[in-house]
Amino acid sequence: MGVVGNTFAQLSVSISDNVVVLDDKQRTGSIDLLNLGLDPVEFTVRTIENNDNNALIRWAPARVLVQPNSSARLRVLARPNVKITTDEVLIKLGITSEVKRPPRTVEQARSDERISDGIEVTVPIVPTLPMFVYFRSQGLVTPVTLGEFVATPDDTRLVGYFPVIKPDANKSFVGQARIINKENGQIIDQGRLHLTYGAERTNVQVLRTNSSSDTVLQCLQLWNQFPGQGAPAYTVCR
């Protein structure tokens, strides 16, 4: 019996988040592994870099099969009595996903009028999604600086952007950013702002929408944590 031929399995996967921040008080976190495709997918979670910090955390499951249009919860836990000698450490995880569709029989292959004999073999597609796990000293706050708004009148997609500068390249910043209408406080856009090690600046973009244009003045509000709680730590307006 010969091999029928190769087909590419359908793979459509995602993760609900790619950043988890742990400290002495918040020692657990979780994300969802999402299979949006039509075939079963096996997720495997492992460390990307080999270093001593990897021993600080545990995660489960390390491997899990997720059925189509379903999800599985990945939990991350800081080991008990963990002590760090710096303000923060980073553990990088890689989440690999691979379709686990069973091989098709000769009869199934013939029904598709592909060839007359053999077994069809699926060619696996194996992407790896990165995940950042930070373990911090409790209360750690990484300062940033907000720059003045930069207008981009010739850009058909952007009204402009607010620069955000992180002076310390050896620490991360994970916070909530929110763009609001300066006059009425309406939320235009919001989400998480993540600057990892080595990243010293980024631009928070203001897209052209019905509620955001050249004639509407915007403000950027920024919190030191995600999700943001209480009043923003930083605010800058056009």
Side-chain angles (χ1 to χ4, degrees), residues 129-223:
L129 303 174
M131 179 177 173
F132 299 82
V133 181
Y134 296 99
F135 188 87
R136 294 175 167 179
S137 300
Q138 188 174 341
L140 174 67
V141 174
T142 301
V144 295
T145 301
L146 307 189
E148 295 294 328
F149 181 80
V150 178
T152 54
D154 297 329
D155 194 316
T156 59
R157 190 177 67 89
L158 299 179
V159 177
Y161 58 87
F162 292 96
V164 178
I165 298 94
K166 178 169 66 72
D168 191 343
N170 296 317
K171 293 182 181 179
S172 72
F173 179 86
V174 181
Q176 178 168 338
R178 176 181 292 170
I179 301 293
I180 64 169
N181 185 309
K182 182 179 180 180
E183 295 183 357
N184 58 27
Q186 177 187 0
I187 298 176
I188 299 172
D189 196 9
Q190 62 181 335
R192 187 184 58 217
L193 183 64
H194 173 215
L195 289 168
T196 190
Y197 300 161
E200 298 180 355
R201 65 171 292 156
T202 189
N203 296 326
V204 178
Q205 300 177 343
V206 181
L207 301 177
R208 294 187 184 276
T209 65
N210 293 333
S211 58
S212 182
S213 64
D214 291 318
T215 59
V216 176
L217 298 182
Q218 300 90 13
C219 295
L220 169 63
Q221 298 177 326
L222 189 61
W223 285 260

Side-chain angles (χ1 to χ4, degrees), residues 6-212:
N6 294 336
T7 61
F8 288 96
Q10 185 193 58
L11 182 60
S12 180
V13 296
S14 180
I15 54 179
S16 62
D17 205 346
N18 70 339
V19 177
V20 171
V21 179
L22 306 176
D23 58 31
D24 291 334
K25 185 177 180 180
Q26 181 66 39
R27 304 184 68 85
T28 63
S30 64
I31 67 168
D32 290 324
L33 310 175
L34 308 172
N35 178 9
L36 308 176
L38 300 178
D39 298 306
V41 170
E42 184 178 73
F43 289 89
T44 303
V45 184
R46 57 172 62 92
T47 54
I48 295 178
E49 300 174 350
N50 293 321
N51 58 57
D52 294 338
N53 295 333
N54 295 341
L56 298 177
I57 65 168
R58 289 183 272 182
W59 59 91
R63 187 186 302 269
V64 61
L65 183 68
V66 180
Q67 297 301 318
N69 296 312
S70 298
S71 64
R73 180 65 53 88
L74 172 65
R75 292 178 171 83
V76 182
L77 169 70
R79 291 180 180 271
N81 303 319
V82 163
K83 301 296 182 181
I84 57 177
T85 58
T86 59
D87 290 334
E88 177 184 70
V89 295
L90 168 63
I91 301 96
K92 292 183 180 179
L93 300 180
I95 301 174
T96 302
S97 50
E98 181 178 357
V99 167
K100 289 296 183 180
R101 191 169 67 183
R104 306 180 71 195
T105 64
V106 174
E107 289 73 17
Q108 289 172 325
R110 283 174 174 168
S111 68
D112 285 345
E113 299 180 350
R114 292 193 171 170
I115 67 171
S116 60
D117 197 9
I119 296 177
E120 184 181 47
V121 175
T122 298
V123 177
I125 304 172
V126 189
T128 297
L129 303 174
M131 179 177 173
F132 299 82
V133 181
Y134 296 99
F135 188 87
R136 294 175 167 179
S137 300
Q138 188 174 341
L140 174 67
V141 174
T142 301
V144 295
T145 301
L146 307 189
E148 295 294 328
F149 181 80
V150 178
T152 54
D154 297 329
D155 194 316
T156 59
R157 190 177 67 89
L158 299 179
V159 177
Y161 58 87
F162 292 96
V164 178
I165 298 94
K166 178 169 66 72
D168 191 343
N170 296 317
K171 293 182 181 179
S172 72
F173 179 86
V174 181
Q176 178 168 338
R178 176 181 292 170
I179 301 293
I180 64 169
N181 185 309
K182 182 179 180 180
E183 295 183 357
N184 58 27
Q186 177 187 0
I187 298 176
I188 299 172
D189 196 9
Q190 62 181 335
R192 187 184 58 217
L193 183 64
H194 173 215
L195 289 168
T196 190
Y197 300 161
E200 298 180 355
R201 65 171 292 156
T202 189
N203 296 326
V204 178
Q205 300 177 343
V206 181
L207 301 177
R208 294 187 184 276
T209 65
N210 293 333
S211 58
S212 182

